[in-house]
Amino acid sequence: MCSGSVVVAVVDQLRKDSYRACYVFSAFLNACIMFVVSCLWRDIAPKKDFKCTDANPVAGVQVLSLNPAMLTYSTLIFMSSFALNMYTSTLAYYCENVLDMDKSMVIALGGLWALEAAFSLAVVQPFLVKRYGEILTLKIAFATMGVFYVLFSFLSERTYWIAFVIMGLFSFGSISYPLAVGLATREVPPEAQGGLQGAVSILETIGKILAPLLASDILIPMYEGDGEFHGMVYFVAGCMVLPGVILAHMLFSMTTRVEIPPPLVTVELQ
């Protein structure tokens, strides 16, 4: 995701029909994934008898209500995906038309998000998980993302530069979605993992459909007049995410912390 954002920014500067080049590149990457899974991933994903019903993602929806923890995880996943799509679907328009940023500044902002998000996923998240645990890290991620949305909603033409300062909050908050999905996979047996991923994809797809409609067709036109609170779309996104801190805190009573013992070191005596 982070690398894709950088590729889009670079291609957009080099080609006028950048969207077509990005779609072709995306299709090529998906073809590569299909090749790897079908030809090179046999030991991890062995082939088995396939039925058409196995490809139905709706069949795994009941997994989301398997227990209170799964219901909480699915709510967190939907909240994170919905707010994220409200932000990403309107960011370019909002920056150029409301914050009066030129195209190069918007691309720079997206590139900064990509780099900081990669750093958060690769460095910050493992450190916090190891030191404080996954649930507390999840709480912090939802809190920082909610704070970012609220702060971003108050930016104006004169203070747009603050977006580059607070982008680190959004980049770190972006780990909330993959972290919640990873925790949810531990609540179901191995044979139900496929159904879980299908159900998660449904939650994500619903967010991708409804969030842009709410953001672009309702909230932005409703507050686009002079003197209106133009950032209401992001303020609403922040209000949707912040309750996730409470839901994540509830997971402490639904789950059990397991300490992973350090690996044993064997010494050969001669």
Side-chain angles (χ1 to χ4, degrees):
M1 181 175 65
C2 300
S3 301
S5 301
V6 175
V7 170
V8 170
V10 173
V11 173
D12 187 63
Q13 290 289 93
L14 298 178
R15 295 179 59 91
K16 294 182 179 180
D17 55 344
S18 58
Y19 65 95
R20 293 181 178 175
C22 292
Y23 289 158
V24 172
F25 185 65
S26 177
F28 171 74
L29 291 180
N30 279 280
C32 292
I33 293 173
M34 295 172 62
F35 172 78
V36 170
V37 172
S38 60
C39 301
L40 305 178
W41 208 7
R42 297 178 183 231
D43 56 332
I44 300 177
K47 295 182 179 180
K48 63 178 183 178
D49 295 336
F50 174 77
K51 299 179 181 179
C52 292
T53 55
D54 296 335
N56 180 16
V58 182
V61 172
Q62 68 272 11
V63 177
L64 299 178
S65 58
L66 186 64
N67 52 48
M70 275 301 303
L71 189 60
T72 304
Y73 285 132
S74 49
T75 304
L76 292 173
I77 291 170
F78 179 77
M79 291 168 57
S80 176
S81 176
F82 195 92
L84 178 63
N85 282 283
M86 286 183 66
Y87 175 75
T88 55
S89 64
T90 58
L91 179 62
Y93 170 84
Y94 190 84
C95 288
E96 294 180 4
N97 294 276
V98 178
L99 300 183
D100 199 24
M101 298 170 61
D102 56 39
K103 197 170 186 179
S104 60
M105 295 294 288
V106 177
I107 293 175
L109 185 64
L112 178 64
W113 165 73
L115 294 175
E116 291 183 344
F119 179 79
S120 297
L121 289 168
V123 179
V124 180
Q125 177 184 339
F127 171 79
L128 291 178
V129 168
K130 184 178 181 180
R131 189 177 183 108
Y132 301 108
E134 292 162 317
I135 295 180
L136 183 55
T137 303
L138 186 64
K139 287 177 58 179
I140 298 174
F142 269 93
T144 54
M145 179 172 283
V147 170
F148 168 80
Y149 287 140
V150 174
L151 292 177
F152 192 85
S153 67
F154 287 99
L155 298 183
S156 63
E157 297 178 4
R158 296 181 179 180
T159 59
Y160 74 88
W161 56 271
I162 298 179
F164 291 89
V165 179
I166 63 176
M167 183 54 64
L169 296 175
F170 177 71
S171 300
F172 175 73
S174 299
I175 72 174
S176 58
Y177 178 84
L179 187 56
V181 173
L183 289 171
T185 58
R186 302 179 185 175
E187 299 292 327
V188 298
E191 61 272 12
Q193 293 294 330
L196 172 63
Q197 297 305 319
V200 168
S201 67
I202 290 179
L203 293 177
E204 186 178 3
T205 301
I206 293 175
K208 288 181 178 179
I209 294 174
L210 298 182
L213 294 177
L214 175 62
S216 302
D217 295 345
I218 299 179
L219 292 177
I220 289 183
M222 187 181 298
Y223 294 93
E224 66 179 355
D226 295 335
E228 297 282 356
F229 182 31
H230 301 304
M232 178 58 73
V233 58
Y234 305 116
F235 188 82
V236 171
C239 292
M240 292 186 62
V241 170
L242 285 175
V245 179
I246 300 175
L247 292 177
H249 181 75
M250 294 170 57
L251 290 170
F252 281 114
S253 61
M254 302 177 189
T255 58
T256 302
R257 181 179 176 87
V258 178
E259 297 289 347
I260 301 177
L264 297 176
V265 178
T266 58
V267 179
E268 295 183 2
L269 299 178
Q270 296 182 354

